[in-house]
Amino acid sequence: MQDKRFSIRTYGCQMNVHDSEKVVTLLEDAGLSAAASESEADLLVINTCSIRDKAEHQLYSDLGKLREWKAEKPGRIVGVGGCVAQQVGDRLLSRFGHLDFVFGTHHLRRVPAMLDGALAGRRAAWVGEDESQERFDLPARRPALATGPRRRAFVTVMEGCDMFCSFCIVPSTRGREISRAATEIDTEVRQLADQGILEIMLLGQTVNAYGRHDVRRGRAAAAGTMPFAELLGQLDAIPGIERIRYTSPHPLFYDAALIRAHGELEHLCPNVHLPVQSGSNRILEQMRRRYTRERYFEILGALRAARPDVAITSDLIVGFPGETEGDFEQTLDLVRVAGLVDSFSFKYSPRPGTGAAGMGAEVPAEVAQDRLERLQAQQRDQTLAYHQSRVGQEALVLIEGPSRRGGHQVTGRDLHHRVVNLDLCSSLEPPGAAEPGTLLPARVVGATPHSLLAAPLDPALLPGAEDPDFPRSRLKSSKRRADETESVDCAGGLAEDVLRVL
Ligand code: 5AD
Ligand code: SF4
């Protein structure tokens, strides 16, 4: 397979993005190389999402169009993985004659063999549930993939979900909760640190439920797991790792130790993305979320007591069956009282086989749309207010690369995971002191609903430093750029079904 080239389309959450990274490693280990574009690829893999019906329909539309792509060059192969693959399984093969293989979320490591089979004319689907630790047993990532230009990496700590929220398809696409042995996680993070990774994002469908089944059954030592807070403590001590984040936690699994960790661990970042879904206790119960709005506020209060500058973001659903205007107003109220810095909000989308799918009491589409818009407008104002409150403060920005605006503006993330854009001196060509992966100290000088604008603390990096009149021109130019950035959409906003890389 030495001469074959592949391309991967990824939809959905960070877990899917990370699964695609794993497939890249597997394919490269099998001798393939990444194609510069799909038109040059011999193998196209689609990693699918089924969280809402729109995401699922995307696959059918993609597959329809791929008939032509396949016909253009004999021998081309199409594979489908991810949540739709897990759900629909081999029925995808019967429905789409030009599809070669299907792999579920537990079968990434079979991809090279399935490709081999497909090249020999054998079509196959692997979608059963695999409850063994073996599915975590994947080849170490290549340094280029692990580091990329960003020096940030995802690390899987647990997979699957046993919560069965009534709206959610994930328990049937990702299977039962399973936690990875802590020594494996530790080894992976140490390897990443050795490769220059500064920031890790720990991943799991209910990440802070890590180890809970083993701990409850008294078999944590045998399984090599431990409570999530302990795992964080262990990773915090790994030299070289500057920033630790995790996503997505569930409110049910915040205990005193996890709250304390936010106050004590040096590298645990002051941001928590804590999905709340609704502000109405009646709807939360119907959603089977197992907490109340009061408990949610209690957790936020405790987090803020431990770490006063923590930035809280969340996921919200509007138009869940039976949601009244009063319920929705409770959601607006929660977003305000909780002081959410940002949120992703979605219109409820019925998913087959879930508890809520048969509830009836549908909220009319135009009502759900109106609620979504009102919620997003309120969030936009709150996000802007938060960003404005940061103006004048210092921020340490992990640079990712050129901003969307281009020119001499670069973009990165601060400790709180906010997008920060920085205008730099135009003589930095390429901007060496601010190249991707640099931790750049800066001061926030402007705010938009999507991002912060900051100026580097080092005067030699400021726009205008190349000007003989500098530093007289400096303040003027920072201010002008703050105004210009007002209209630039840098963070992806709150659009529905965005590729969610927080
Ligand atoms: N409809 C709408 N939004 C959903 N989410 C999960 N399932 C659904 C659904 N059926 C949202 C939740 C979750 C995020 C990843 O997607 O807000 O936290
Ligand atoms: Fe879905 Fe609920 Fe599990 Fe999150 S906790 S993945 S919303 S079932």
Side-chain angles (χ1 to χ4, degrees), residues 107 129 389 502:
H107 297 281
E129 181 153 352
S389 76
L502 291 176

Side-chain angles (χ1 to χ4, degrees), residues 332-367:
L332 290 179
D333 182 68
L334 178 139
V335 170
R336 184 182 55 79
V337 176
L340 295 185
V341 158
D342 213 339
S343 55
F344 290 97
S345 40
F346 311 98
K347 277 182 287 184
Y348 168 72
S349 162
R351 306 312 293 132
T354 57
M359 276 181 184
E362 274 167 36
V363 172
E366 61 285 3
V367 174

Side-chain angles (χ1 to χ4, degrees), residues 13 50-53 165-170 248 273-277 287 289 314-318 320 344-351 354 356 496-497 500:
C13 63
S50 58
I51 196 93
R52 285 167 288 276
D53 59 352
C165 300
S166 65
F167 53 82
C168 186
I169 193 121
V170 166
S248 281
H273 181 75
L274 185 54
V276 63
Q277 315 298 358
M287 287 177 161
R289 288 292 290 180
S314 195
D315 287 346
L316 297 146
I317 295 177
V318 298
F320 184 81
F344 290 97
S345 40
F346 311 98
K347 277 182 287 184
Y348 168 72
S349 162
R351 306 312 293 132
T354 57
E496 264 212 285
D497 295 314
R500 296 187 58 227

Side-chain angles (χ1 to χ4, degrees), residues 226-247:
M226 54 187 66
F228 186 59
E230 265 177 54
L231 177 72
L232 287 175
Q234 196 168 311
L235 301 179
D236 190 56
I238 295 180
I241 298 297
E242 297 286 332
R243 293 181 172 188
I244 301 176
R245 307 185 201 274
Y246 58 86
T247 199

Side-chain angles (χ1 to χ4, degrees), residues 133 179-184 210-211 213-215 218-226:
Q133 283 274 333
S179 296
R180 210 178 153 196
T183 46
E184 304 264 320
Y210 175 80
H213 288 324
D214 300 326
V215 170
R219 57 178 302 275
T225 60
M226 54 187 66

Side-chain angles (χ1 to χ4, degrees), residues 2-21:
Q2 300 302 324
D3 54 336
K4 299 264 180 246
R5 281 169 300 173
F6 65 87
S7 188
I8 305 189
R9 279 185 206 174
T10 307
Y11 296 103
C13 63
Q14 292 99 322
M15 196 67 96
N16 260 18
V17 172
H18 190 33
D19 281 353
S20 288
E21 291 176 348

